[in-house]
């Protein structure tokens, strides 16, 4: 196995990949909660497809993170056997589904971010990560399109759907601050050519997101100093509950394989 | 409140280049983009297609099954349209 | 898919209405085509009772797929590995897809999906009663794949050749995808059986609970389903309930052995003379109790469907409203 050879000596590299992997894992887990509950059968299948894409991305990214770490942890050890403070997903990912508007707004804000992220990561100096990016980029295009279309339908639909979409945007928008907060991990990863500092994506992200929100007749909330720190391991109260459910079996049957 | 059902779209999938689009079922969607997106999720979950057509079911004009005799029977005696009509020598019969 | 052979109520027996008499020539042609094994297509003339029976059977079948998403869906968020999570999610998604193919087939008979959905949510329409049992441990997911989907496959393969074209074609599509379901279930159980004692106990517990309900999925004994004959005559049903059930038992015994689980039936043994396995009597009281609404999960399952539908109303309305606005804008711009 080339695992040892691929172990990274750059801790920022591992941290950077874990953020991506955990973001996919937690977002995928939330999307999968919709299965069997969607407003219309066609959308049930679409949500499941997106959830499957994210679970698939999480598997590749966490496997890769395990390799970079070089301590023998595989995708499942990382997904199921860490403590809350060891997850590195942005807080936005773990926010509850609440209603269809929340899920679509969140999916769109994250999806637009992922689209930029993956297209930049296709050129990563980490070849394994670049390969994951090439695959994920295709999926992200669909996610951004599908959720973006729904944001427009809901925003520019009925009075009720507009109200719900606006409420979801007001609630979730402040959590996007965290996506673009500068930090040393990003600086080191960018310097090593692993991937872009997330803060560098802010401008392009707004260029992608704002026209859709405008088309949806939604009002973009003013930026506030609100800060969350999920990608540093300090999460909302929601994550603990999500993990309690998700980790239940591997924690209850230590050492079992499934 | 008055309830409105989402329109029905008939879905046709080309399974690979070189083949015709083939009817495979229908979906409900409120616009063409949605119809294509959900058709992809419903009918190509296992890489069954490279191209999808979505046609509003209400826009399809179909022949009347009771008119079958006048539409299709006239072709019945034009057997010369079928390759099997022509008996060729065995050596060239793969033509 | 999860058909359960349910009887055709007496009211739906074909009867000589004035319309049918008027259409005697059509009727004769229809009968001749059925006898010749021809396929009936959506716009062909068909007796009203044939159409009604199909609508009932196809929609029950579709409802079963949709409600069938719930017991297994119950474990998606708790799947014990990412691989199993992905497989289960894909499987439950397939069930939604199968429901969709089947609703589409039913819609060719002149009913709308909303009408069919309303019949389900109001409790008027039936779905396979197997889904009114709870999924209590992770092995239930595997056992549902192995036994419940296995029983369903037995039921559905003959339907690929049923006389109604759109139903038969939907079933071909369903069947193609279904063998993945049974195999993934069995594979998940194999993994658990080669694990710890605790895991093996989970599997046996699940088998004990699902074995008899799986046998009930084939419906009442032939002698107790007097109306099956009509469905057979119409080519909507091809093999009798008891024959299918026997075929299922015969196929499953060996699979249980390989897996290393015990099927909960002391009377289960090979009968050389019959060339089949004998098995104990089925508790039909339990079957009818569950069919008639007294299963542990009847209320929960339906309540969940109702909630999803009601919670989604504003979304469905929004999409329609937006499409109308768009159309008006495009018209104004033209």
């Amino acid at each position: 196995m080339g695992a040892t050879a691929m172990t990274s000596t750059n801790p920022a590299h591992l941290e950077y990949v874990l953020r991506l992997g955990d973001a996919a894992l937690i977002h995928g887990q939330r999307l999968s909660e919709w299965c069997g509950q969607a407003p219309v059968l066609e959308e049930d299948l679409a949500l499941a497809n997106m959830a499957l894409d994210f679970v698939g991305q999480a598997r590749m990214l966490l496997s890769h993170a395990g390799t970079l770490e070089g301590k023998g942890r595989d995708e499942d050890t990382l997904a199921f056997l860490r403590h809350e403070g060891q997850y590195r997903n942005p807080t936005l990912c773990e926010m509850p589904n609440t209603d269809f508007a929340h899920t679509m707004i969140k999916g769109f804000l994250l999806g637009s971010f992922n689209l930029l992220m993956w297209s930049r990561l296709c050129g990563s100096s980490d070849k394994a990560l670049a390969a994951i990016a090439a695959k994920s980029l295709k999926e992200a295009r669909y996610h951004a399109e599908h959720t973006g279309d729904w944001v427009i339908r809901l925003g520019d639909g009925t009075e009720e759907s507009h109200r719900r979409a606006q409420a979801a945007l007001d609630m979730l928008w402040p959590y996007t601050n965290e996506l673009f907060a500068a930090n040393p991990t990003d600086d080191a990863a960018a310097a090593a050519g692993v991937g872009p500092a997330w803060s560098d994506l802010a401008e392009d992200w707004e260029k992608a997101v704002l026209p859709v929100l405008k088309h949806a007749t939604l009002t973009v909330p003013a930026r506030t100093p609100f800060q969350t720190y999920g990608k540093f391991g300090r999460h909302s109260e929601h994550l603990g509950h999500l993990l309690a459910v998700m980790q239940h079996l591997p924690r209850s049957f230590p050492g079992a394989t499934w | 409140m008055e309830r409105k059902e989402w329109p029905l779209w008939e879905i046709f999938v080309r399974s690979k280049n070189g083949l015709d689009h083939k009817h495979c079922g229908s979906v409900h969607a409120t616009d063409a983009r949605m119809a294509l997106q959900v058709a992809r999720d419903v009918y190509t979950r296992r890489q069954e297609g490279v191209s999808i057509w979505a046609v509003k079911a209400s826009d399809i004009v179909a022949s009347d099954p009771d008119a079958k005799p006048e539409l299709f029977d006239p072709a019945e005696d034009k057997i010369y349209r079928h390759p099997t009509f022509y008996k060729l020598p065995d050596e060239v019969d793969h033509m | 898919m999860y058909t359960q052979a349910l009887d055709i109520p007496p009211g739906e027996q074909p009867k000589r209405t004035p319309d049918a008499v008027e259409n005697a020539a059509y009727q004769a042609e229809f009968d001749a085509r059925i006898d010749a094994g021809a396929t009936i297509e959506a716009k062909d003339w068909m007796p009203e009772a044939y159409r009604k029976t199909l609508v009932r059977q196809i929609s029950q079948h579709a409802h079963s797929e949709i409600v069938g998403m719930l017991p297994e869906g119950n474990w998606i968020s708790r799947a014990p590995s990412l691989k199993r999570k992905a497989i289960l999610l894909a499987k439950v998604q397939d069930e939604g897809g199968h429901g969709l193919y089947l609703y589409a087939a039913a819609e060719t008979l002149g009913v709308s999906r909303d009408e069919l959905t309303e019949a389900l949510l109001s409790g008027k329409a039936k779905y396979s009663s197997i889904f009114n049992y709870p999924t209590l441990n992770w092995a239930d997911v595997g056992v549902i794949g192995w036994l419940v989907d296995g029983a369903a496959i037995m039921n559905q393969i003959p339907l690929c050749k049923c006389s109604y074209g759109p139903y038969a074609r939907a079933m071909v599509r369903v069947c193609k995808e279904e063998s993945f379901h049974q195999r993934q279930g069995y594979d998940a159980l194999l993994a658990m059986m080669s694990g710890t004692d605790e895991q093996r106990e989970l599997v046996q517990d699940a088998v004990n609970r699902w074995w008899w309900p799986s046998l009930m999925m084939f419906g009442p004994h032939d002698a107790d389903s007097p109306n099956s004959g009509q469905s057979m005559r119409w080519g909507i049903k091809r093999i009798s309930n008891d024959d299918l059930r026997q075929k299922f038992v015969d196929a499953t015994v060996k699979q249980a052995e390989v897996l290393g689980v015990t099927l909960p039936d002391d009377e289960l043994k090979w009968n050389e003379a019959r060339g089949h396995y004998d098995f104990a009597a089925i508790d039909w009281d339990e079957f009818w109790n569950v069919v008639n609404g007294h299963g542990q999960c009847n209320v929960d399952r339906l309540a969940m469907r109702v909630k999803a539908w009601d919670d989604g109303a504003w979304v469905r309305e929004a999409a329609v409203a937006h499409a109308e606005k768009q159309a008006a804008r495009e018209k104004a711009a033209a």
Side-chain angles (χ1 to χ4, degrees):
Chain A
M1 289 292 287
T4 320
M6 285 166 67
T7 301
S8 175
T9 51
N10 179 358
H13 187 174
L14 172 61
E15 187 80 359
Y16 192 91
V17 173
L18 268 182
R19 284 178 185 173
L20 297 170
D22 287 343
L25 175 69
I26 303 302
H27 189 39
Q29 176 78 359
R30 279 289 187 229
L31 283 173
S32 76
E33 291 171 10
W34 274 101
C35 190
Q37 325 278 329
V40 66
L41 191 46
E42 279 81 353
E43 193 54 30
D44 214 304
L45 271 75
L47 286 160
N49 248 11
M50 290 193 281
L52 277 169
D53 286 344
F54 284 107
V55 174
Q57 291 173 12
R59 294 186 64 189
M60 294 186 290
L61 289 160
L62 293 179
S63 289
H64 184 48
T67 306
L68 291 172
E69 186 190 45
K71 291 182 183 163
R73 292 204 282 184
D74 64 8
E75 60 183 55
D76 288 329
T77 318
L78 285 169
F80 295 99
L81 298 179
R82 281 178 293 158
H83 299 295
E84 197 180 324
Q86 295 166 326
Y87 285 79
R88 292 292 183 261
N89 59 284
T91 310
L92 180 57
C93 300
E94 72 213 35
M95 296 304 282
N97 290 324
T98 311
D99 67 6
F100 188 74
H102 275 70
T103 298
M104 286 299 133
I105 294 274
K106 179 169 118 179
F108 175 63
L109 298 177
L110 281 170
S112 308
F113 178 80
N114 289 336
L115 191 53
L116 294 167
M117 190 72 187
W118 294 126
S119 56
R120 293 284 292 274
L121 285 172
C122 286
S124 171
S125 62
D126 174 344
K127 293 303 162 213
L129 184 58
I132 296 170
K135 181 176 188 300
S136 305
L137 177 61
K138 290 181 217 156
E139 296 168 348
R141 278 201 193 103
Y142 175 81
H143 303 160
E145 181 184 310
H146 186 78
T147 53
D149 286 357
W150 268 114
V151 168
I152 291 168
R153 285 187 201 107
L154 298 181
D156 185 35
T158 62
E159 216 172 284
E160 179 178 7
S161 71
H162 180 87
R163 178 175 56 71
R164 285 175 181 267
Q166 187 64 56
L169 184 63
D170 292 345
M171 169 79 195
L172 297 171
W173 184 258
Y175 287 85
T176 62
N177 287 349
E178 181 187 333
L179 295 177
F180 306 109
N183 61 90
T185 296
D186 273 11
D187 296 341
V194 172
W198 292 16
S199 54
D200 283 355
L201 303 176
E203 207 183 310
D204 285 345
W205 180 80
E206 291 212 344
K207 267 191 216 151
V209 164
L210 295 182
V212 173
L213 296 178
K214 185 169 176 226
H215 190 170
T217 71
L218 295 171
T219 307
V220 178
R223 283 276 168 214
T224 63
F226 181 81
Q227 268 306 335
T228 49
Y229 305 94
K231 64 184 182 184
F232 306 102
R234 274 163 54 205
H235 290 274
S236 70
E237 291 178 350
H238 301 295
L239 185 66
H241 295 277
L242 181 150
L243 294 179
V245 171
M246 190 174 84
Q247 298 184 339
H248 159 66
L249 278 173
R251 295 264 187 216
S252 304
F253 298 89
T257 50
W258 305 93
Chain B
M1 166 161 198
E2 180 204 4
R3 219 200 44 222
K4 289 178 197 156
E5 185 151 27
W6 285 13
L8 191 66
W9 300 69
E10 296 298 332
I11 304 302
F12 301 80
V13 173
R14 185 201 294 285
S15 55
K16 59 179 186 189
N17 277 352
L19 296 181
D20 294 328
H21 282 78
K22 195 174 158 212
H23 182 246
C24 60
S26 56
V27 299
H28 286 274
T30 52
D31 58 64
R33 277 171 69 98
M34 193 201 283
L36 283 174
Q37 284 173 15
V38 301
R40 167 235 189 224
D41 289 329
V42 173
Y43 291 106
T44 67
R45 293 197 302 286
R46 289 175 173 76
Q47 299 175 300
E48 291 97 333
V50 294
S51 160
I52 300 175
W53 289 347
V55 185
K56 249 192 179 165
S58 57
D59 288 343
I60 292 183
V61 184
S63 63
D64 175 359
D66 291 336
K68 221 158 44 178
E70 53 272 35
L71 274 181
F72 304 114
D73 290 355
E76 207 168 48
D77 61 354
K78 297 180 180 63
I79 48 174
Y80 46 79
R81 281 184 180 277
H82 298 278
T84 45
F85 178 72
Y86 305 95
K87 275 269 159 262
L88 298 187
D90 285 350
E91 306 92 280
V92 295
D93 202 26
H94 58 271
M95 192 183 286
Chain C
M1 89 90 182
Y2 302 100
T3 41
Q4 167 177 298
L6 290 165
D7 277 356
I8 312 163
E12 303 297 340
Q13 289 301 297
K15 50 183 180 241
R16 288 204 153 264
T17 60
D19 189 41
V21 173
E22 230 168 74
N23 291 321
Y26 283 143
Q27 178 76 51
E29 196 196 321
F30 175 85
D31 289 343
R33 288 175 65 192
I34 292 281
D35 291 343
T39 304
I40 307 299
E41 291 295 345
K43 301 226 162 162
D44 294 346
W45 185 90
M46 61 186 80
E48 187 53 21
Y50 174 84
R51 195 187 70 84
K52 276 192 171 167
T53 301
L54 277 171
V55 169
R56 173 178 299 101
Q57 181 172 330
I58 301 172
S59 62
Q60 267 176 11
H61 195 156
H63 298 329
S64 299
E65 298 282 1
I66 301 310
V67 177
M69 297 170 79
L70 301 175
E72 290 169 281
N74 182 35
W75 282 91
I76 291 173
S77 59
R78 290 177 291 172
S81 74
L82 292 184
K83 182 180 101 177
R84 295 284 172 207
K85 190 188 292 289
I87 292 172
L88 181 58
L89 190 49
K91 195 221 157 179
V92 178
Q93 183 198 38
D94 271 353
E95 279 157 14
H98 297 174
L100 207 151
Y101 308 156
L102 289 162
Y103 282 127
E107 286 182 278
T108 64
L109 292 159
V111 283
S112 74
R113 197 199 297 172
D114 279 6
E115 288 173 67
L116 298 175
T117 303
E118 239 152 55
L120 171 69
L121 300 184
S122 67
K124 241 170 62 194
K126 292 227 182 305
Y127 57 87
S128 185
S129 52
I130 191 86
F131 302 117
N132 293 321
Y133 291 85
T135 50
L136 301 179
N137 86 55
W138 168 251
D140 286 41
V141 166
V143 170
I144 287 178
W146 172 40
L147 295 180
V148 176
D149 291 327
I153 290 172
M154 293 268 171
N155 257 330
Q156 76 200 358
I157 284 180
L159 290 172
C160 295
K161 289 188 226 145
C162 95
S163 62
Y164 187 58
Y167 189 24
R169 288 191 290 275
M171 288 315 303
V172 168
R173 190 171 275 278
V174 169
C175 282
K176 260 194 213 161
E177 300 180 356
E178 199 78 33
S179 71
F180 144 62
H181 293 182
Q182 195 185 12
R183 293 172 73 98
Q184 67 79 30
Y186 196 77
D187 177 70
L189 297 177
L190 276 175
M192 291 181 76
M193 291 305 287
S194 57
T196 64
D197 284 346
E198 262 185 315
Q199 285 178 295
R200 279 186 284 275
E201 278 164 26
L202 294 181
V203 177
Q204 187 61 56
D205 168 57
V207 169
N208 292 347
R209 283 180 287 109
W210 289 96
W211 172 247
W212 289 107
S214 299
L215 293 192
M216 293 173 196
M217 283 176 71
F218 295 93
H221 285 309
D222 297 346
D224 302 322
S225 29
N227 300 315
S228 284
Q230 182 55 256
S231 284
M232 291 268 210
R233 168 75 183 78
W234 278 332
I236 297 172
K237 188 177 172 66
R238 297 281 190 193
I239 306 179
S240 83
N241 295 355
D242 283 330
D243 287 352
L244 281 171
R245 183 164 23 237
Q246 183 69 59
K247 204 173 156 202
F248 174 72
V249 172
D250 291 348
T252 308
V253 171
K254 176 82 186 160
Q255 295 163 0
E257 245 174 65
V258 172
L259 199 55
V261 294
T262 310
L263 297 174
D265 179 356
D266 295 340
E267 296 174 40
L268 186 70
K269 60 169 183 296
W270 179 251
N271 181 327
E272 192 64 47
R274 289 205 310 128
H276 290 293
Y277 281 92
D278 289 338
F279 51 96
I282 289 170
D283 180 356
W284 291 110
D285 287 344
E286 176 184 326
F287 173 75
W288 288 113
N289 276 337
V290 180
V291 168
N292 291 325
H294 308 296
Q296 188 176 343
C297 298
N298 293 57
V299 172
D300 286 354
R301 301 288 188 236
L302 206 53
M304 209 157 203
R305 287 312 311 155
V306 169
K307 182 176 184 323
W309 186 251
D310 290 350
D311 286 354
W314 68 271
V315 177
R316 296 189 299 275
E317 283 157 14
V320 172
H322 176 72
E324 283 170 354
K325 283 187 195 175
Q326 271 299 97
R329 279 193 287 256
E330 275 159 25
K331 206 170 161 193

